[in-house]
Amino acid sequence: MPGTSPRRERVVLSERRGARPVRTRAEVTEQTPVGEHLVRGLVRAQLGLALRIGLAVVLIFVAVPVVGATVDGFATATLFGINLNWIVLALIPYPVLYLAGRLYIRLAEQAERDFIRLIDDEEHRR
């Protein structure tokens, strides 16, 4: 019969037979391979964040002597009778380190909140 087409069937992944339900929170607490993979992903994200922020701080600190060596007036300039390069070396590192630390903590906590939200979302979907 050329006019009849096969009956359509709706396919929903969560209704598959034999599918194992996702138990994300249990996977993490029981330290199964899936849970270890999830935790390893969180640790990798935080490590990548730490390396990026650390690299940015190192580049800022390396830029100070490079600017001092390449810009002629920087080494001889004075501010309030003190050489400008000494003022930069004495005052810049502390706020930069403080802000880098605050930024890392904020972003690392955001990654942890996303991780917890991922686990909770999987639990509530069941």
Side-chain angles (χ1 to χ4, degrees):
M1 300 179 165
T4 61
S5 60
R7 192 178 134 203
R8 294 182 146 204
E9 181 179 332
R10 183 175 175 203
V11 177
V12 179
L13 292 177
S14 64
E15 295 177 3
R16 291 187 314 180
R17 289 184 207 140
R20 185 174 77 94
V22 178
R23 305 173 326 159
T24 313
R25 184 177 295 265
E27 299 281 350
V28 172
T29 55
E30 294 172 5
Q31 297 180 350
T32 63
V34 173
E36 287 179 15
H37 181 71
L38 290 170
V39 171
R40 195 174 304 125
L42 173 65
V43 171
R44 274 194 197 128
Q46 289 181 339
L47 176 64
L49 176 65
L51 291 175
R52 287 190 303 270
I53 290 177
L55 180 64
V57 168
V58 166
L59 289 176
I60 290 170
F61 287 155
V62 167
V64 173
V66 168
V67 168
T70 57
V71 177
D72 293 331
F74 184 75
T76 58
T78 60
L79 184 66
F80 303 117
I82 303 171
N83 286 344
L84 184 60
N85 58 353
W86 284 107
I87 292 174
V88 169
L89 288 172
L91 297 179
I92 294 293
Y94 300 108
V96 167
L97 288 174
Y98 175 77
L99 292 173
R102 291 279 303 217
L103 179 65
Y104 173 76
I105 289 171
R106 182 172 156 240
L107 294 175
E109 287 177 347
Q110 179 64 43
E112 289 175 5
R113 282 192 297 271
D114 291 344
F115 177 75
I116 291 171
R117 196 173 302 126
L118 170 75
I119 291 173
D120 288 342
D121 282 349
E122 292 294 333
E123 280 292 311
H124 293 294
R125 287 183 194 167
R126 288 195 302 156

